[in-house]
Amino acid sequence: MTRFIFITGGVVSSLGKGLASAALGALLQARGYKVRLRKLDPYLNVDPGTMSPYQHGEVYVTDDGAETDLDLGHYERFTGVPARKSDSVTTGRIYSNVLAKERRGDYLGATVQVIPHVTDAIKEFVLAETEGEDFVLCEIGGTVGDIESLPFLEAIRQVGNELGRERTLFIHLTLVPYIRSAGELKTKPTQHSVKELQSLGIQPDIVVCRTEMEIPAESRKKIALFCNVKPENVVQALDVDTIYQVPVAYHGQGLDTQVVRHFGLEEKEPDLSRWKGIVQRVRQPEGEVSIAIVGKYMNLRDSYKSLAEALTHGGIANNVRVKLDWIDSVVFEKEDAVQHLEHVHGILVPGGFGERGTEGKISAAQFAREREVPYFGICFGMQMAVIEATRHLVGIKNASSTEFGPTPEPVVGLLTEWMRGNQVERRNAEDDLGGTMRLGAYEAKLATGSRVYEIYGNATSISERHRHRYEVNPAYVDRLEAAGMIFSGMSPDGSLPEIIEIPDHPWFIGVQYHPELKSKPFEPHPLFTSFVKAAVEQSRLV
Ligand code: GLN
């Protein structure tokens, strides 16, 4: 029997609802249950694919090619369950489906309304593809009280009513702020937020309170009384020093115990050794390395959430703390790269879009290549390394990417046709922005004996997630190979370069895909483990 847990948030945004959901998923999994996590986002974009990273943070990509909210990354990192297209939906997607049905005449002349047509479409999404799961955790984006969330809240209220208490549970996450001048924690915002939820017909079963101070028993009782929940169902969520402590901390406060109790399930202790081990390694590393991340959205860390996590995982694997030095590549256009990069033990150029700052990224790749500093180029970072090598090793000074406009030397260019398995996929330069990217899992064949072959444990074939529009142009491969760069990973039909490396360098690898999306704290991605290891070796030299 599949049970549904709905997680809503109140008072303010950014309370860590995604992490709370992910951590609860991990805790239920540690009790032996099969879980799936889902996100319902109230905005009107069909998916976050076309949203600016400044507004929305990273776009997380699933194996089946969906562009989703970054919370799906948390879910996957905490539970190891690969997210699917059917785990993420927005108001925009719901409406576009409802409107398409209306145009087709599927509603048989009915007046199409928010209730029941939109809410039915939301319920369909919540309940779809859940066979075999013990728990489906659905996080509702936004904050209770937003006009936009109303249809979602109404839909989950209906699900609660239809499936009954034995199969549904509502968790509400709020903030209990500490008011310094009064020297007190305040429960009123929580009371108001729960009242708002109740006015929509939802009575939360558990109230989780984010707080920077211990909530005294008295305040807890007050919250329980005013919010109409049991005192043991008021769960305190104190700030923690590392996100991997979140499952352990929630367990300590009884969150998962109250959840299984609600459903009348057996209360066996979960095995949290995996999480305790990770926390221990994060808290007590044996050393430290610094990695420069040279990119564009440097003042907004959420744009590179998975990347920062994957580097931490690489650190966990090597027992070191990875210190990240976020550098906006445009600084190299005014200043020499040397002063910013001289002290670091590794340089990473991550994914990116558009021309701004690209000359700086190319300089960073050049610095890493010439000074023999470990270099990791991811997607755009690989393309920049290839342009750099074409300019300075092959000697084609005006090598560029068609992403920046027409060029006589398109080392990186738009490809309009490629293979997915046995199927040809096509795109058109004029297509909608959302429809022109190579998205999701694609296979790559690795060259035996190459460095990546060894890093991937002598695998000849790998599958990794993609999100890009441009490709390294195969027409330049021979000249680049003659100059010392090898193409150690190619698409199965041999047409698209997936991985480049420079064998005559301590560690210089570029990948067209996003390995950071699949790294997990308990299963660090081999490329990040290897890159951080190279940085540790570099730190012994400088
Ligand atoms: N802008 C590049 C492309 O579309 C790289 C994309 C990326 O780094 N994700 O191909």
Side-chain angles (χ1 to χ4, degrees):
M1 179 165 77
T2 307
R3 296 164 183 89
F4 294 83
I5 300 176
F6 298 104
I7 300 115
T8 55
V11 184
V12 291
S13 57
S14 307
L15 282 180
K17 214 169 355 127
L19 270 177
S21 309
L24 179 58
L27 288 171
L28 291 169
Q29 204 180 41
R31 287 173 178 264
Y33 296 111
K34 195 158 177 277
V35 299
R36 174 153 294 283
L37 284 108
R38 299 205 145 149
K39 178 92 194 259
L40 292 83
D41 267 312
Y43 48 76
L44 280 171
N45 304 61
V46 172
D47 62 41
T50 52
M51 280 162 98
S52 157
Y54 289 117
Q55 298 229 352
H56 195 260
E58 165 185 278
V59 173
Y60 190 78
V61 181
T62 60
D63 276 332
D64 56 5
E67 296 181 276
T68 73
D69 186 80
L70 58 80
D71 278 323
L72 271 83
H74 288 311
Y75 306 163
E76 211 178 303
R77 281 189 285 277
F78 274 72
T79 63
V81 178
R84 301 184 302 215
K85 209 174 236 163
S86 55
D87 295 327
S88 162
V89 82
T90 66
T91 299
R93 161 102 43 218
I94 295 281
Y95 270 88
S96 87
N97 292 349
V98 168
L99 295 177
K101 266 176 129 177
E102 188 275 331
R103 291 289 81 186
R104 277 199 309 266
D106 291 2
Y107 294 114
L108 307 173
T111 308
V112 180
Q113 293 176 300
V114 173
I115 305 174
H117 302 99
V118 169
T119 45
D120 278 354
I122 298 172
K123 285 198 290 187
E124 225 171 87
F125 164 80
V126 167
L127 301 171
E129 293 180 42
T130 54
E131 308 76 41
E133 308 290 351
D134 295 315
F135 287 100
V136 175
L137 285 75
C138 295
E139 178 192 344
I140 318 294
T143 313
V144 168
D146 300 345
I147 291 178
E148 294 175 333
S149 342
L150 287 175
F152 285 122
L153 297 173
E154 169 58 15
I156 62 171
R157 181 196 68 75
Q158 292 178 18
V159 175
N161 207 19
E162 284 158 24
L163 298 183
R165 281 181 57 76
E166 323 76 69
R167 288 190 60 193
T168 51
L169 171 91
F170 292 89
I171 298 180
H172 190 55
L173 181 68
T174 71
L175 176 72
V176 176
Y178 178 72
I179 305 296
R180 212 159 297 277
S181 56
E184 254 184 283
L185 283 170
K186 292 293 181 190
T187 64
K188 195 72 87 189
T190 299
Q191 296 175 33
H192 281 304
S193 180
V194 170
K195 199 175 271 173
E196 182 83 36
L197 201 56
Q198 287 165 339
S199 75
L200 301 170
I202 297 175
Q203 166 62 52
D205 301 291
I206 296 178
V207 177
V208 177
C209 305
R210 279 297 304 272
T211 169
E212 43 177 323
M213 301 269 199
E214 283 282 337
I215 304 178
E218 265 320 295
S219 308
R220 218 182 264 223
K221 265 200 217 136
K222 198 162 152 193
I223 295 172
L225 186 66
F226 281 95
C227 299
N228 192 29
V229 298
K230 296 183 201 137
E232 60 273 27
N233 281 5
V234 177
V235 175
Q236 141 183 307
L238 272 173
D239 297 347
V240 287
D241 57 342
T242 150
I243 58 167
Y244 301 119
Q245 172 66 13
V246 176
V248 182
Y250 271 130
H251 177 65
Q253 295 296 321
L255 177 62
D256 51 320
T257 311
Q258 293 311 319
V259 170
V260 293
R261 201 165 279 171
H262 170 95
F263 290 114
L265 295 166
E266 194 194 338
E267 289 176 33
K268 47 179 190 247
E269 259 307 283
D271 177 9
L272 297 183
S273 48
R274 168 192 265 188
W275 295 103
K276 289 183 179 153
I278 292 165
V279 170
Q280 159 89 8
R281 275 174 165 243
V282 170
R283 284 188 183 153
Q284 286 160 336
E286 282 164 11
E288 181 177 283
V289 292
S290 344
I291 306 282
I293 300 183
V294 182
K296 185 152 113 181
Y297 313 109
M298 292 297 112
N299 43 8
L300 210 82
R301 301 298 143 78
D302 268 2
S303 320
Y304 295 109
K305 193 88 209 158
S306 297
L307 181 70
E309 290 301 314
L311 284 161
T312 305
H313 306 160
I316 291 174
N318 286 284
N319 252 323
V320 292
R321 192 173 95 84
V322 179
K323 195 172 139 290
L324 303 180
D325 218 346
W326 302 86
I327 304 175
D328 188 335
S329 60
V330 291
V331 304
F332 302 154
E333 284 160 24
K334 285 176 243 119
E335 298 157 32
D336 197 359
V338 180
Q339 65 189 91
H340 295 276
L341 297 176
E342 210 155 33
H343 59 284
V344 300
H345 309 124
I347 296 171
L348 193 150
V349 176
F353 291 85
E355 190 172 11
R356 191 179 72 83
T358 48
E359 288 306 319
K361 296 178 191 180
I362 292 169
S363 309
Q366 182 176 12
F367 177 92
R369 183 177 59 74
E370 291 175 352
R371 300 285 197 100
E372 306 209 319
V373 179
Y375 178 85
F376 195 2
I378 293 181
C379 205
F380 208 44
M382 164 188 176
Q383 297 174 358
M384 294 304 109
V386 172
I387 293 175
E388 190 280 316
T390 314
R391 287 189 191 169
H392 305 119
L393 289 177
V394 180
I396 303 175
K397 294 281 167 274
N398 50 353
S400 185
S401 165
T402 57
E403 183 170 356
F404 318 141
T407 162
E409 299 287 355
V411 196
V412 177
L414 187 70
L415 214 89
T416 49
E417 215 175 272
W418 67 91
M419 299 297 288
R420 179 170 215 144
N422 294 325
Q423 229 133 314
V424 181
E425 298 207 348
R426 290 197 177 83
R427 64 186 151 191
N428 184 317
E430 280 80 48
D431 282 351
D432 283 353
L433 270 188
T436 54
M437 282 207 255
R438 193 151 83 103
L439 285 170
Y442 282 88
E443 195 191 345
K445 297 275 184 226
L446 304 186
T448 47
S450 62
R451 181 172 276 146
V452 285
Y453 170 76
E454 193 190 307
I455 291 173
Y456 276 97
N458 298 350
T460 48
S461 166
I462 57 163
S463 168
E464 292 279 6
R465 295 184 194 165
H466 292 67
R467 179 175 185 251
H468 59 111
R469 217 166 261 131
Y470 298 85
E471 310 278 351
V472 171
N473 186 344
Y476 291 82
V477 167
D478 290 347
R479 283 172 280 176
L480 281 158
E481 293 214 308
M485 177 171 269
I486 68 160
F487 288 75
S488 49
M490 296 294 285
S491 60
D493 65 357
S495 68
L496 303 178
E498 290 274 9
I499 309 175
I500 55 106
E501 55 184 86
I502 300 182
D504 191 18
H505 185 284
W507 207 99
F508 195 104
I509 293 176
V511 295
Q512 187 55 75
Y513 48 84
H514 289 277
E516 72 275 22
L517 301 178
K518 291 207 336 191
S519 187
K520 296 166 191 83
F522 43 84
E523 199 186 310
H525 192 287
L527 278 169
F528 284 91
T529 302
S530 175
F531 177 57
V532 174
K533 182 162 179 272
V536 171
E537 276 151 29
Q538 178 73 13
S539 73
R540 300 208 174 104
L541 301 175
V542 291

